[in-house]
């Protein structure tokens, strides 16, 4: 039995990356394919000077853990210190990027070049979607495999609700910010209202106090107090329930490389309108929805206003079956394990 260490994320900042790590670990353990997995955090998210000692202390995880392969989830430059530590310890490493073209590590030329140089130490890049290497800078010559994401079990098993009504129900969920498309969701509601389209929206998530003040001000300025409901972040079961009550997911993000919430919505029969990012584009191309040109609320509103509620709801139901089949945990775990096996085989060939 081989052992995989899933390495990444932070318990102090739970989000999509942390959900990915937890579910991937559980799925590999349930696959009964000759591998076990455990998850350890790197605690590199939102580092301040005062948090550096704690993050540095996480480097002790690798020497203490007996593993056959390290599967590193890369979202911050500090994560790559674990890659080089694993290399020094002689451990095979495959790396999955969890960032997009608009991340600071890609926008700043010096940081982008540094990341490419450090990633050359990886044995394999395990990409989240076909075409991810076209969105971000990755080193040439490092073998690549395609792995997928891991949906909540409820997304894969819950019956799809019957949707009806004369009001279009929108939902937006995540870490609330300008970059994540939260304020564009407010603008989308206003644009739909101005087109005479009845709409209600739930914005689910948390943010810093300044952003929340600005968000409430934006809702008030658009005269949407009776249209938009703000909901504190909820647990997984409640999030799935809220998705099941929605018709459309508004995710006009300019940050997310491969937004898990879009897959979750698709699996629950919700039609996504998304920002113009490579990962979101790949989901829409496969399963339906709309990529808003320029990630603008106006473009998203025009697309929605041109469709009947019935056609949107029927399209959501049709997409859900395909997503659930493609993202079953056994299917996704087998792809991860195949990439892990290829990583070990390549390492062994180089050792001969």
């Amino acid at each position: 039995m081989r052992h995989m260490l899933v390495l990444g994320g932070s318990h102090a900042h739970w989000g999509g990356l942390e959900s990915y790590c937890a579910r991937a670990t559980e799925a590999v353990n349930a696959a009964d394919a000759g591998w076990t997995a455990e998850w350890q955090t790197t605690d590199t998210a939102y580092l301040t000077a005062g948090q550096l000692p704690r993050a540095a202390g996480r480097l002790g995880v690798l020497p203490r853990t007996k593993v056959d392969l390290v599967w590193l989830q890369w979202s911050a430059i500090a994560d790559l210190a674990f890659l080089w530590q694993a290399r020094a310890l002689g451990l095979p490493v495959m790396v999955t990027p969890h960032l997009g073209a608009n991340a600071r590590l890609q926008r700043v030329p010096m940081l982008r070049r540094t990341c490419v140089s450090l990633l050359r130490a990886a044995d394999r890049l395990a990409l989240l979607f076909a075409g991810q290497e076209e969105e971000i800078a990755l080193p040439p010559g490092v073998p690549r495999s395609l792995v997928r994401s891991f949906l909540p079990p409820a997304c894969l098993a819950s019956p799809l609700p019957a949707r009806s009504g004369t009001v279009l129900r929108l939902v937006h969920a995540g870490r609330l910010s300008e970059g994540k498309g939260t304020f564009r969701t407010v603008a989308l509601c206003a644009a739909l209202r101005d087109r005479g389209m009845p709409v209600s929206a739930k914005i689910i998530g948390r943010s810093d106090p300044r952003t929340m003040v600005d968000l409430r001000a934006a809702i008030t300025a658009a005269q949407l107090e009776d249209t938009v409901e703000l909901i504190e972040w909820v647990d997984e079961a409640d999030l799935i329930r809220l998705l099941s009550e929605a018709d459309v997911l508004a995710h006009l993000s300019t940050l997310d490389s491969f937004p898990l919430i879009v897959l979750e919505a698709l699996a629950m029969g919700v039609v996504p309108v998304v920002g113009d990012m490579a990962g979101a584009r790949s989901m829409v191309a496969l399963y339906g929805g709309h990529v808003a040109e320029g990630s603008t609320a106006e473009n998203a509103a025009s697309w929605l206003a041109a469709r009947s509620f019935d056609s949107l709801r029927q399209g959501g139901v049709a997409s859900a079956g395909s997503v659930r089949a493609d993202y079953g945990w056994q299917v996704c775990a087998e792809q991860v394990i195949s990439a892990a096996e290829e990583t070990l085989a390549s390492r062994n060939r180089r050792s001969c």
Side-chain angles (χ1 to χ4, degrees), residues 1 77 113 121 134 162 237 267 290:
M1 186 70 72
I77 195 167
R113 290 192 296 269
E134 298 168 10
H290 178 64

PDB file of all heavy atoms in Angstrom, residues 1 77 113 121 134 162 237 267 290:
ATOM      1  N   MET A   1       0.852  -1.202   0.000  1.00  0.00           N
ATOM      2  CA  MET A   1       0.000   0.000   0.000  1.00  0.00           C
ATOM      3  C   MET A   1       0.882   1.244   0.000  1.00  0.00           C
ATOM      4  O   MET A   1       1.742   1.405   0.871  1.00  0.00           O
ATOM      5  CB  MET A   1      -0.910   0.001   1.236  1.00  0.00           C
ATOM      6  CG  MET A   1      -1.921   1.121   1.261  1.00  0.00           C
ATOM      7  SD  MET A   1      -3.235   0.961   0.039  1.00  0.00           S
ATOM      8  CE  MET A   1      -4.189  -0.391   0.739  1.00  0.00           C
ATOM      9  N   ILE A  77       3.444  31.530  -3.242  1.00  0.00           N
ATOM     10  CA  ILE A  77       4.848  31.261  -3.556  1.00  0.00           C
ATOM     11  C   ILE A  77       5.522  30.482  -2.423  1.00  0.00           C
ATOM     12  O   ILE A  77       6.407  29.650  -2.669  1.00  0.00           O
ATOM     13  CB  ILE A  77       5.604  32.574  -3.864  1.00  0.00           C
ATOM     14  CG1 ILE A  77       6.935  32.258  -4.547  1.00  0.00           C
ATOM     15  CG2 ILE A  77       5.782  33.417  -2.610  1.00  0.00           C
ATOM     16  CD1 ILE A  77       7.607  33.471  -5.170  1.00  0.00           C
ATOM     17  N   ARG A 113       8.406  34.609 -13.128  1.00  0.00           N
ATOM     18  CA  ARG A 113       9.648  33.914 -13.508  1.00  0.00           C
ATOM     19  C   ARG A 113      10.177  33.075 -12.352  1.00  0.00           C
ATOM     20  O   ARG A 113      10.677  31.955 -12.559  1.00  0.00           O
ATOM     21  CB  ARG A 113      10.700  34.935 -13.954  1.00  0.00           C
ATOM     22  CG  ARG A 113      10.387  35.605 -15.288  1.00  0.00           C
ATOM     23  CD  ARG A 113      11.600  36.360 -15.801  1.00  0.00           C
ATOM     24  NE  ARG A 113      11.976  37.462 -14.928  1.00  0.00           N
ATOM     25  CZ  ARG A 113      11.532  38.705 -15.039  1.00  0.00           C
ATOM     26  NH1 ARG A 113      10.653  39.008 -15.989  1.00  0.00           N
ATOM     27  NH2 ARG A 113      11.941  39.645 -14.210  1.00  0.00           N
ATOM     28  N   ALA A 121      11.492  21.872 -10.281  1.00  0.00           N
ATOM     29  CA  ALA A 121      11.842  20.769  -9.381  1.00  0.00           C
ATOM     30  C   ALA A 121      10.747  19.719  -9.286  1.00  0.00           C
ATOM     31  O   ALA A 121      10.976  18.630  -8.750  1.00  0.00           O
ATOM     32  CB  ALA A 121      12.149  21.311  -7.989  1.00  0.00           C
ATOM     33  N   GLU A 134      -2.228  26.950 -20.589  1.00  0.00           N
ATOM     34  CA  GLU A 134      -2.298  28.108 -21.469  1.00  0.00           C
ATOM     35  C   GLU A 134      -2.664  29.381 -20.709  1.00  0.00           C
ATOM     36  O   GLU A 134      -2.499  30.492 -21.224  1.00  0.00           O
ATOM     37  CB  GLU A 134      -3.332  27.860 -22.575  1.00  0.00           C
ATOM     38  CG  GLU A 134      -2.977  26.676 -23.471  1.00  0.00           C
ATOM     39  CD  GLU A 134      -4.141  26.263 -24.354  1.00  0.00           C
ATOM     40  OE1 GLU A 134      -5.143  27.011 -24.399  1.00  0.00           O
ATOM     41  OE2 GLU A 134      -4.046  25.196 -24.982  1.00  0.00           O
ATOM     42  N   ALA A 162     -37.596  20.443  -8.547  1.00  0.00           N
ATOM     43  CA  ALA A 162     -38.394  21.031  -9.624  1.00  0.00           C
ATOM     44  C   ALA A 162     -38.408  22.546  -9.418  1.00  0.00           C
ATOM     45  O   ALA A 162     -38.785  23.034  -8.352  1.00  0.00           O
ATOM     46  CB  ALA A 162     -39.806  20.482  -9.588  1.00  0.00           C
ATOM     47  N   ALA A 237     -23.907  21.595   3.760  1.00  0.00           N
ATOM     48  CA  ALA A 237     -25.290  21.148   3.538  1.00  0.00           C
ATOM     49  C   ALA A 237     -26.202  22.323   3.204  1.00  0.00           C
ATOM     50  O   ALA A 237     -27.047  22.242   2.301  1.00  0.00           O
ATOM     51  CB  ALA A 237     -25.796  20.409   4.774  1.00  0.00           C
ATOM     52  N   ALA A 267     -23.776  20.910 -10.994  1.00  0.00           N
ATOM     53  CA  ALA A 267     -24.227  19.592 -10.538  1.00  0.00           C
ATOM     54  C   ALA A 267     -25.599  19.652  -9.880  1.00  0.00           C
ATOM     55  O   ALA A 267     -26.302  18.639  -9.831  1.00  0.00           O
ATOM     56  CB  ALA A 267     -23.211  18.997  -9.561  1.00  0.00           C
ATOM     57  N   HIS A 290     -22.907  30.648 -19.521  1.00  0.00           N
ATOM     58  CA  HIS A 290     -22.477  31.794 -20.318  1.00  0.00           C
ATOM     59  C   HIS A 290     -21.212  32.400 -19.738  1.00  0.00           C
ATOM     60  O   HIS A 290     -21.104  32.604 -18.524  1.00  0.00           O
ATOM     61  CB  HIS A 290     -23.569  32.863 -20.353  1.00  0.00           C
ATOM     62  CG  HIS A 290     -23.178  34.095 -21.106  1.00  0.00           C
ATOM     63  ND1 HIS A 290     -22.910  34.095 -22.461  1.00  0.00           N
ATOM     64  CD2 HIS A 290     -23.006  35.389 -20.693  1.00  0.00           C
ATOM     65  CE1 HIS A 290     -22.598  35.312 -22.858  1.00  0.00           C
ATOM     66  NE2 HIS A 290     -22.650  36.120 -21.810  1.00  0.00           N
TER      67      HIS A 290
END
